[in-house]
Amino acid sequence: MYEKRLIELALDARNRSYCPYSNFAVGAALLCQDGTIYTGCNIESSAYTPTICAERTAIFKAVSEGKREFICMAVAGGRTDADILPITTPCGVCRQVMMEFCNPQTFLIFCASSAENYKAYTLAQLLPKGFGPKNLGY
Ligand code: THU
């Protein structure tokens, strides 16, 4: 099942997280309309605000390579010392960035504790009544 493959890739990306300040490591994997997958991890900064989440890393990697149509994303996060990962849902900023490129009714986010244990949400569920390009008439 493609969800499981995507979650495995998010878990693998999580291993590359740079999070010395929060010790909260997150990985993401984004499936594009054309079948390609972009992964991302959170990357922190000693100045704190430049920190970027795993989800946005994956989306920005994809957009910067010319991709703008996305089907779904897997996210896996938890403290670096955790034996069992909790279910981590994307932060508000990442939800807003998803709103820019994804159809909120159909874009699915798999929030995973493991490849076997995850919850699936549409973007509309995570960002109800969200503001997006359509609100500007695009
Ligand atoms: N983080 C993510 O990468 N994605 C989320 O969905 C939640 C938060 C990161 C940001 C920061 O590096 C650390 O997790 C703690 O907030």
Side-chain angles (χ1 to χ4, degrees):
M1 290 217 289
Y2 73 98
E3 295 99 299
K4 290 199 192 307
R5 178 73 188 127
L6 214 56
I7 292 166
E8 282 165 4
L9 289 170
L11 288 165
D12 184 53
R14 180 175 176 270
N15 293 327
R16 298 188 286 279
S17 164
Y18 175 73
C19 57
Y21 308 109
S22 72
N23 292 304
F24 192 88
V26 186
L30 176 69
L31 176 64
C32 304
Q33 180 73 53
D34 67 0
T36 53
I37 293 172
Y38 289 82
T39 61
C41 61
N42 57 328
I43 303 167
E44 298 187 343
S45 162
S46 54
Y48 288 15
T49 49
T51 292
I52 187 163
C53 294
E55 296 90 324
R56 273 175 292 144
T57 302
I59 293 170
F60 293 160
K61 281 171 68 179
V63 172
S64 69
E65 294 298 324
K67 310 298 166 70
R68 291 187 185 171
E69 291 183 57
F70 307 126
I71 305 291
C72 58
M73 171 180 267
V75 182
R79 288 192 54 84
T80 47
D81 59 4
D83 293 328
I84 299 169
L85 295 185
I87 298 279
T88 294
T89 50
C91 81
V93 173
C94 289
R95 294 176 201 200
Q96 187 63 48
V97 170
M98 289 172 194
M99 194 72 192
E100 192 62 35
F101 297 103
C102 309
N103 179 334
Q105 306 302 330
T106 59
F107 186 73
L108 278 176
I109 301 129
F110 305 114
C111 301
S113 161
S114 68
E116 287 72 44
N117 182 29
Y118 63 91
K119 290 191 191 306
Y121 301 102
T122 63
L123 177 57
Q125 285 176 307
L126 294 185
L127 191 65
K129 304 189 195 306
F131 186 91
K134 282 195 168 59
N135 297 89
L136 290 178
Y138 293 98

